[in-house]
Amino acid sequence: MRQAGFVVGLAMVIVLALLVDWTLRVLAVNSKLSGRQTYQDMVEYCFGRWGLLASSFFQGAMAGGGMASFIVIVGDTLPHVLGALMPSVGQSAFGRVVFSRRFVIAFFVVFMAYPLSLYRDVGKLGKTSAFAVVAMCTIIAAVVMEGPRINPSLRASPEKSLQLANTGVFQAVGVITFAFVCHHNSFMIYGSLRKPTLNRYFEVIHLSTAIATVASVTIAVFGYVYFGEKTQGNILNNFPQDNFLINIARFLFALNMITTFPMETLVAREVIESLAFRDQEFSMKRHVWITTGLCAAGLAIGETVCNLGVLLELTGGMSASFLAFILPSACFIKLSSSSTPLYSRKLVGHWLCIVFGVTVMLLSTVLSIRHAARAGSGPDAAASCWR
């Protein structure tokens, strides 16, 4: 919302949520039409080997970007919480090491996220998803309640009015798309239903998208109203370290990310398995090695990059746009080509969706890379944690 402006940002969240809801349903219909049960298999059925390689690359990039982003969030939140809970320990030499960003990230990834990532079935993560919803509600409540109570110097300047429209529209589209896109693991979700029918799956899509939209709009509106141009990529970083309720929110946010991390690991691992080992039987040794390598790579990126906004923009602009807006409609057009002319009225919406996806993908990626290269220390500045 800071990048796009209040009115434009609000409209974009709602429009993109509706578009994601629609393309998720298109993807489910494509699965039925093609008779394929995974995203990669469906794309390969439609576009052959090159389609498989393209979808695998963007699925892997989306999952990898998600894993790295979740690790950055852990680094943004838990050191603050530990320092506030045990200030005397934090000021000691031992505390400065143990409570440091890099140590905290490594500890929680190795001892929490990594064991959960070893699960093969996404259904095993159902309880962690329920926890994520509860944590999300708590985080939103904390931001809404504590925003007016903090030092006025940390909030938006009362002399400056909120921007109704701003210039960072395409970067904002990347962030919003990243927030909503789950196409790369939607087949896993469908397969985890007790009774996997299209109608039941559509209900899941509608309910999930509605919850995500309400949550996104609420925290975007209140966060931007409170902090204006000072709004950071992680809204909790706008609050002081010693705020009790915000520290609870930070702790829950970190746990939420740690338990969401395995969802992305499952996707990345499936991409590697389908590309390199699709004709081989399952091997537990290979499963462990792939999982370990993925977690180590995500950890390395998360330890190096501090700017959450840059990761969300790049991942959302490049990968999420391709997976959510281009591929579902392209596959539907291909699957319908035998019975429907390519330029019939029935397919107009799909062609428009592809054009929108390509535009967002190109502009958002270019602008995000330029944004990441920008020097400085403000909320828009890319930053390395190795300093």
Side-chain angles (χ1 to χ4, degrees), residues 343-387:
Y343 301 105
S344 72
R345 186 176 300 177
K346 178 183 176 183
L347 300 179
V348 169
H350 293 280
W351 282 114
L352 291 175
C353 189
I354 291 173
V355 171
F356 173 76
V358 171
T359 304
V360 169
M361 182 180 172
L362 294 176
L363 290 179
S364 180
T365 302
V366 171
L367 292 173
S368 297
I369 292 173
R370 189 175 68 177
H371 169 199
R374 187 182 302 162
S377 57
D380 276 334
S384 170
C385 297
W386 296 95
R387 60 176 185 267

Side-chain angles (χ1 to χ4, degrees), residues 17 19 63 88 90 97 141 190 199 257 321:
L19 187 56
S88 59
V97 173
Y190 178 78
N199 287 336
M257 294 301 96
S321 297

Side-chain angles (χ1 to χ4, degrees), residues 174-195:
V175 175
I176 298 168
T177 304
F178 178 90
F180 281 102
V181 166
C182 55
H183 299 60
H184 56 307
N185 52 32
S186 60
F187 284 84
M188 296 180 183
I189 301 298
Y190 178 78
S192 72
L193 297 177
R194 290 190 182 92
K195 296 179 181 178

